[in-house]
Structure formats: structure tokens, C-alpha cells
Amino acid sequence: MMQTGFKPYEGLLVVSLEQAVAAPLASCHFAEGGARVIKIERDGVGDFARAYDSAVKGAASYFVWANHGKESLCLDIKAPEDAALLHRLLEKADIFIQNLAPGAVERAGFGSDVLRARHPRLITCDITGYGDSGDYRDMKAYDFLVQCESGLVAVNGAPGHPGRIGVSVCDIGASMNAIIGLQKALIARGITGKGSGVQVSLFDTAADWMTVPLMHSDYAGKAPQPVGLHHPSIAPYGGFATADGEMLAISIQNEREWANLCTQVFGRPELITDPLFCSAAARVRNRRDTDALVAAYFAAHSRAELEKRLRAAAIAYGAVNSVATFARHPQLRRVPVTLSDGQEAALVGRPTRHSFDADCPRFGRVPALGEHSAAIRAEFA
């Protein structure tokens, strides 16, 4: 039987030449799983995400989120002595992750192909904005810009007002894809004994998510337009104000749910066969009437009363919460983390849980810039 507290990545060494969000999040996943993660930073400057904000008791929210449980080593990889140290690290490493500007690691002698030729068991992972070829290869690729280039903003926001998704989804998605790729590479190495290369780009990640709107554009002649909290091809679907100033969202996805809404919530079974609402297509075609019907009923009842009726009728619903309300959500799990100055904070618990996880987990400490430089230099001298 597997022991509680088992760490599946224990014994792995991950070296990450990283900055910002995508690569740090990927390496942090391995730190959470028990791997030793050595984060390479620039001396005196460090990962620029350290200075994004000071929201977490003086520390940057992005940095705390993506860098707990790591060791920080300051290197100048252009300096011969530090380059030699990095090579000594990579001789012992299982995984090398980097997301510097295109061509930067190659110019310094740390290109993935070169490294794997020198260290055959090493798994390399390059995270870029637009990939390693093509006209956009050298373009700066911040999350917001990739949201724009990929069309993500064109299907988000309110009608006539494309909107940026409010979290760094392209960075996060690229990180998740990198983790998936690295896990595949670890399995492949376990079979073949050889390392391999993983390439992930923010643009490819966003492009994958845009498959359905793209198919609508390619084959149906019209891409979905931004509709706020509503859905371009389902009705009723969206947020509606309640009598006490709250907002609830509902999603009716089949005729059984529509019938339940009409009979068990509205108390109006005749709406089921009304020509305006008698099918999914009719409700979308007559969206203004459909939404007005729902809005009028919601506006006459409190949130608590609506939630009771919707749940009893097995209608899919959810509160449209603010971040402050979300912070008090009964389902939200928190995990403590120690900041680099010793203060305590809390992060959201890991989204994946395993039967072998410890009952009361806490995240590893957030490293100060260069905190482990002297010890690592001595260890790998």
C-alpha cells in the first residue's frame, strides 16, 4: 500500500532558467511533487516577476504563486565560470526548463539539442511565445498580446467590446502543456533510457483553445461573437439579477432542464410548448424574449429562494461572485506558505489531489534572490 505523504518526483533534479509565469509554474509543479528545483536567476535583478507587485505582505503575488519550494541560484551564464557550473548542474539534472527570449540560450551554448547530445538522459523543455520558427519567432509574447493575436479576446467580453481574460490564461495553459509534455518525456525515458525535447508555445496553446470558434469561422462562415455572460448558441444561459441585488447564472442545455425550469421554478408548464421557447433553436432565435422571461422572474425573487428552487429542480446554476466573495467560498481550499522573509501567507490548494498526498500539506518556502547560491556553488564545485 502506498504511504501517505509519498512524493512521486522525489529524487528528480530540475534546473530551470526561468522568468515571468509559464516556466516558473511548470517547475513549481515538480517542486510540489518532491523534486529538487534549482531556479537560475540573474544576479542583482532576479526573475522580474519578483517586482510585479507587492500584494502578499510585500512580496509579489505572481512570484509567491509560481516559485515556492525552489532553491534560488544567481548565475551569469555568459561568464565562463558560471557557464561551467551550469553544465555541472545539468550533468546531474533530469529536466532542464527555459523560457528566455528566442535564441538566448543557444547563443550562450545551452541550446536543447546541444545539451541532450552532451547529457543523453537529460529532458529539455523550451517554452516560447510563438515557437522556434516562423515570422513571429522573435516577437515579444506577453500573455495579453497572445490573447489578442490568437483571437481569444474576440470571443470574450461584452457585445462590441472584446475583452482580455482577467488572468494570465496563455501563460497558465502553456505551463500545463509543458508539464504534460515533461511527464510524457519522463515515461519515455523510463522505457528508452534517453531524454527528449519538449517544445511549447503560448500561441499554440491559445490556438488549440480557439479550435471551436475557428471551425465555426472556417466551415459555418461566422465565428462566435462576444456575448458577456451569455452563450452564442444556448439560451437561457447567463447571469440574471435577483430581487436582493445579487446575481445568479443559469445554464439550460437540454429540453428536460427547460421543462424543469418552466414547471418546478416558474410554475408555468405552458411555456414548454410555447412557439417562442419550444426548442433550443427557438429559444436562441428569440433570445431577447427568453432572457426577458428569466430576468423578470429572477428580479422578483431573492437569491436564497431562487437557489432553493433551482437546486430542487436540478437546474445548473452558480453565483456570479466578486473576488472578495470568492475568497469566502466554502469550497475554497487554502494551503499555507512561508515567504522569503519568514512571514506566513496562504495560497489556493493544489487543483489535483492524490490518495497518497499528506493530510495537512503545506507549500515549500519561497526563496529569496540568490539565497542558495553559496551552498549550490560549493556542492557542485
Side-chain angles (χ1 to χ4, degrees):
M1 184 175 179
M2 194 172 292
Q3 184 178 0
T4 301
F6 169 74
K7 297 287 189 179
Y9 298 137
E10 195 164 5
L12 292 181
L13 173 58
V14 178
V15 177
S16 194
L17 187 57
E18 60 183 26
Q19 58 191 1
V21 179
L25 268 182
S27 65
C28 195
H29 165 82
F30 288 94
E32 289 177 356
R36 180 185 185 185
V37 177
I38 297 177
K39 179 184 181 73
I40 308 298
E41 301 189 72
R42 291 173 296 172
D43 196 10
V45 180
D47 181 345
F48 53 74
R50 287 182 178 273
Y52 274 173
D53 58 63
S54 56
V56 187
K57 299 182 177 181
S61 56
Y62 281 93
F63 192 85
V64 172
W65 173 42
N67 291 283
H68 51 270
K70 303 179 185 180
E71 300 172 41
S72 174
L73 167 64
C74 288
L75 289 181
D76 177 0
I77 63 172
K78 297 178 182 178
E81 184 178 338
D82 282 2
L85 173 57
L86 181 52
H87 274 300
R88 290 196 296 275
L89 281 168
L90 294 175
E91 286 174 4
K92 302 291 182 66
D94 296 280
I95 294 172
F96 174 63
I97 303 171
Q98 72 85 21
N99 71 332
L100 301 191
V105 290
E106 287 82 3
R107 289 190 296 271
F110 292 95
S112 293
D113 292 342
V114 171
L115 290 178
R116 292 199 311 278
R118 183 168 176 171
H119 313 293
R121 285 182 53 81
L122 182 66
I123 295 168
T124 61
C125 179
D126 298 296
I127 302 176
T128 62
Y130 291 97
D132 60 3
S133 63
D135 292 343
Y136 279 66
R137 175 183 182 274
D138 296 323
M139 290 276 286
K140 287 190 175 181
Y142 300 140
D143 183 274
F144 166 61
L145 303 178
V146 175
Q147 287 193 37
C148 293
E149 286 280 355
S150 65
L152 272 173
V153 297
V155 295
N156 286 281
H161 299 280
R164 170 189 170 270
I165 300 170
V167 294
S168 301
V169 290
C170 298
D171 280 319
I172 297 167
S175 173
M176 298 301 102
N177 284 335
I179 291 166
I180 293 168
L182 288 166
Q183 289 173 333
K184 287 181 179 179
L186 284 168
I187 293 171
R189 192 182 70 171
I191 297 169
T192 67
K194 295 182 179 180
S196 56
V198 178
Q199 295 85 36
V200 174
S201 81
L202 275 67
F203 184 79
D204 286 347
T205 296
D208 180 45
W209 295 338
M210 286 294 291
T211 297
V212 170
L214 185 63
M215 288 194 295
H216 275 266
S217 179
D218 286 347
Y219 303 112
K222 185 178 181 181
Q225 298 299 302
V227 288
L229 290 178
H230 297 276
H231 193 286
S233 56
I234 302 174
Y237 184 118
F240 300 91
T242 67
D244 48 354
E246 300 285 337
M247 183 171 282
L248 288 178
I250 62 169
S251 173
I252 301 298
Q253 304 220 23
N254 55 58
E255 296 312 304
R256 175 181 53 79
E257 291 179 345
W258 174 246
N260 287 352
L261 182 68
C262 294
T263 55
Q264 299 180 45
V265 179
F266 295 162
R268 298 182 59 186
E270 73 278 6
L271 294 174
I272 299 172
T273 55
D274 189 307
L276 288 175
F277 316 117
C278 63
S279 69
R283 291 192 294 275
V284 172
R285 186 170 56 249
N286 301 293
R287 181 188 298 277
R288 183 173 297 179
D289 295 304
T290 304
D291 287 350
L293 176 72
V294 178
Y297 186 86
F298 275 47
H301 297 81
S302 70
R303 169 179 169 174
E305 184 180 0
L306 286 165
E307 286 185 327
K308 182 178 179 181
R309 294 191 180 191
L310 291 167
R311 178 169 290 198
I315 301 298
Y317 76 91
V320 182
N321 287 324
S322 67
V323 177
T325 306
F326 164 66
R328 303 188 299 273
H329 202 290
Q331 292 298 117
L332 178 61
R333 294 181 296 109
R334 306 274 195 155
V335 174
V337 64
T338 302
L339 305 180
S340 60
D341 62 1
Q343 296 187 84
E344 292 286 307
L347 296 175
V348 175
R350 300 181 187 94
T352 55
R353 289 185 282 178
H354 300 86
S355 58
F356 53 71
D357 282 338
D359 293 333
C360 299
R362 67 175 293 122
F363 290 128
R365 188 172 174 278
V366 179
L369 176 60
E371 179 178 347
H372 306 89
S373 292
I376 295 171
R377 287 181 182 277
E379 179 183 353
F380 290 89

